[in-house]
């Protein structure tokens, strides 16, 4: 679910991320919820139609890109 999280951040909204992933907004929200539960921290705060990163979210963005890049090699 890290790639979904990064796409939400990159696109600035969960609905745009769902369009790019070709899945429902509910599925994107569910993936984010499971990731937050696994990490035991809130990563994003919804602000109208956009999202705002929490401090934990900022830290994860820094690490997630590296993790996914390393796994791709």
């Amino acid at each position: 679910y890290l790639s979904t999280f990064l796409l939400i951040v990159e696109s600035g909204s969960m609905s745009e991320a769902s369009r790019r992933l070709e899945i429902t907004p509910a599925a994107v929200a569910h993936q984010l919820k499971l990731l937050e539960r696994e990490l035991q921290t809130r990563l994003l705060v919804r602000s109208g139609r956009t999202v705002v990163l929490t401090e934990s979210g900022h830290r994860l963005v820094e690490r997630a890109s590296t993790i996914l890049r390393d796994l791709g090699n």
Side-chain angles (χ1 to χ4, degrees), residues 15-67:
S15 59
E16 179 59 26
S18 73
R19 280 191 284 278
R20 291 184 190 182
L21 292 168
E22 298 180 350
I23 61 176
T24 66
V28 170
H30 183 70
Q31 288 183 18
L32 178 63
K33 181 180 175 182
L34 292 175
L35 182 60
E36 289 177 328
R37 185 180 299 154
E38 179 71 24
L39 299 175
Q40 298 180 358
T41 189
R42 194 154 185 198
L43 301 170
L44 300 170
V45 176
R46 292 184 189 183
S47 177
R49 292 181 178 240
T50 61
V51 293
V52 178
L53 284 168
T54 64
E55 185 177 329
S56 295
H58 280 287
R59 288 194 307 266
L60 183 58
V61 166
E62 295 170 5
R63 292 179 175 96
S65 298
T66 302
I67 290 168

